[in-house]
Amino acid sequence: MTPPDRLPGSKIPASRMNFGMSRPGGNSAGPESPEEAEKKETLAPDAKIDLAKERAETGIDDVFSALDSELVGLAPVKNRIREIAALLLVDRARAQFGLSTSRPSLHMCFTGSPGTGKTTVAMRMADLLYRLGYLRRGHLVSATRDDLVGQYVGHTAPKTKEVLKRAMGGVLFIDEAYYLYREDNERDYGQETIEILLQVMENQREDLVVILAGYKDRMDSFFVSNPGMSSRIAHHIDFPDYTLDELDDIGKLMIRAEGYQFSPEAEKTFREYLDRRMKQPRFANARSVRNAIERARLRHASRLMGAEQTVGKDELTTLLPEDFRGSRVFANSDSSADSDDPLASDDSLAD
Amino acid sequence: MHITQGTFSYLPDLTDDEIRKQIQYALDNGWPCSVEFTDDPHPRNVYWEMWGLPMFDLEDAAGVLAEVNACRKAKPEHYIRLNAYDASYGKQTTALSFIVQRPSEEPGFRLDRQEWHDRTIRYTLHPYVADQPHGERYNGHK
């Protein structure tokens, strides 16, 4: 071995001089892989497995409590996820008895309006499948048409395969998947992507899980044009729109996370805002709530700057009704809206 | 003649499962992997042909193994090796490199002697397969 002091001026720290050779078995061992855990002997036919204990060992309850605390509403989605988790857990128990369990198809399709939490649930799903041992890494790779479809002949396949390789061991989340297929152009390269996807979804089921997402009606027509895709997806999960109460809860969760609070009157104004905003076009559920809060923060900040007085913690954290009244949503009928508010004109698009 | 080269040259050939674990070790260290092949086994031939570009941002060994298998299918009678690069030195540094496929028959090398001035003898190695042109070596597989 060359002692490190033989190389004066070298910027490589002495600890790097071994080129990683001394590390095997050291810090990078990581948790025991699921395959090794599964190689345990088959149990006797009269043995008993404590499913609750198995469940606790996988730590999926953490995922469920995170789902419950971070995601408001979405009861049908949560139920479906619980069902899938139960199936996978029972399959694991069956495998311990040596019962044949074909690996269930885990590809999914999330449909729903914008802002209903499809991406968030996909991330939780990746975590859940990792904990259950159905994914080796549990990361999420997000892709849209741009990432998958090439621009000239021969460009698509390498591009799609590269994304697939990155997603191996985790979840490939394809947002607005219906853009992959353009029915008006039969020579569109998207068709090639779909074919490669189908092949991988069928042959490398143990390597990755594909989740497609998009609006319900457009996904339906996508599946009509691509029946092979529809039949390879086992779980079609529909995300319902949020109710007013749920949106209210989401807003409260968001401002708490940002370190703000509503004044008692602002709470009512916020609810009224949501009620009006829901009836307007281009309402994007939780995303609209987030935008409304962002704009309220802007108005809150300019209000404090304009007041020219000393501020304490209460003033810095409390949103008042006028922070919401400035919105265009209140502009039509509400006389208390401040029409001189410079931010009101910025709201011309949506929120 | 069993040609050895690279990180695990002193071991028997790795199985696919062992290869997968080595790839995962490389990826866990943040080393991108690449696949290369050649039908010129001379030890001083360090620049093998690239099978696609190095693969960046991978998390799981399955993606690299798929490329290894694709290369094996296309080049069944070539030497194939896997390289992992460590970029932390600021330049492309090979951190790991090992052979993942070899031809079914390896004829080996001939020792050539060349008479030089003052009865000096100069020696060189000559791979028997190098007598055939590229693409016709190792049972004629391209």
Side-chain angles (χ1 to χ4, degrees), chain B residues 63-111:
Chain B
V64 179
L65 209 58
E67 285 301 323
V68 169
N69 286 330
C71 185
R72 281 171 169 165
K73 204 171 162 193
K75 308 278 175 190
E77 289 284 341
H78 279 55
Y79 291 95
I80 300 176
R81 73 177 171 196
L82 193 119
N83 299 325
Y85 302 112
D86 185 354
S88 63
Y89 301 100
K91 48 186 170 288
Q92 179 170 300
T93 311
T94 306
L96 186 69
S97 169
F98 57 96
I99 291 180
V100 293
Q101 180 189 273
R102 57 181 69 250
S104 49
E105 275 175 60
E106 298 176 280
F109 299 86
R110 171 180 86 210
L111 187 69

Side-chain angles (χ1 to χ4, degrees), chain A residues 188-299:
Chain A
D188 182 66
Y189 301 133
Q191 194 63 44
E192 201 179 338
T193 297
I194 293 174
E195 275 158 31
I196 296 171
L197 268 180
L198 285 178
Q199 205 184 333
V200 171
M201 283 164 75
E202 191 65 32
N203 299 335
Q204 290 180 275
R205 268 189 281 178
E206 67 280 4
D207 286 333
L208 91 164
V209 167
V210 176
I211 297 181
L212 306 179
Y215 304 129
K216 177 102 178 86
D217 47 342
R218 302 187 65 175
M219 277 319 280
D220 286 345
S221 60
F222 173 73
F223 285 133
V224 168
S225 336
N226 298 278
M229 190 65 103
S230 179
S231 59
R232 278 174 183 83
I233 290 177
H235 306 281
H236 291 261
I237 303 180
D238 195 37
F239 285 60
D241 281 350
Y242 290 113
T243 62
L244 179 61
D245 287 334
E246 286 165 356
L247 289 170
D248 205 20
D249 289 344
I250 291 169
K252 280 174 191 150
L253 269 179
M254 281 179 184
I255 69 156
R256 206 174 305 138
E258 306 252 10
Y260 284 85
Q261 56 184 3
F262 287 128
S263 73
E265 308 84 62
E267 214 164 296
K268 287 186 206 108
T269 319
F270 181 63
R271 203 178 163 84
E272 193 188 338
Y273 170 90
L274 290 175
D275 192 28
R276 287 169 181 239
R277 183 67 190 86
M278 280 173 78
K279 292 171 188 132
Q280 293 188 355
R282 295 189 300 279
F283 177 63
N285 289 292
R287 207 171 296 146
S288 286
V289 176
R290 169 158 301 282
N291 289 345
I293 288 170
E294 288 299 317
R295 285 176 194 284
R297 285 177 64 193
L298 282 174
R299 288 191 202 95

Side-chain angles (χ1 to χ4, degrees), chain A residues 74-100:
Chain A
L74 296 179
V77 176
K78 288 175 184 166
N79 279 341
R80 192 63 183 272
I81 293 175
R82 283 201 165 83
E83 281 169 23
I84 294 170
L87 169 72
L88 299 183
L89 211 54
V90 169
D91 267 4
R92 270 167 54 121
R94 281 169 58 94
Q96 290 184 35
F97 280 106
L99 293 168
S100 75

Side-chain angles (χ1 to χ4, degrees), chain B residues 7-66:
Chain B
T7 313
F8 305 112
S9 56
Y10 52 92
L11 293 176
D13 285 343
L14 299 187
T15 65
D16 272 13
D17 198 43
E18 288 162 346
I19 292 171
R20 169 190 286 272
K21 283 178 178 157
Q22 289 302 333
I23 296 171
Q24 195 59 58
Y25 173 75
L27 296 179
D28 287 345
N29 279 296
W31 300 337
C33 294
S34 82
V35 180
E36 293 179 337
F37 63 93
T38 191
D39 62 356
D40 180 0
H42 196 282
R44 301 298 283 269
N45 170 30
V46 289
Y47 297 115
W48 292 21
E49 282 157 85
M50 294 167 77
W51 178 261
L53 297 171
M55 289 164 268
F56 297 97
D57 302 327
L58 264 57
E59 291 271 343
D60 187 75
V64 179
L65 209 58

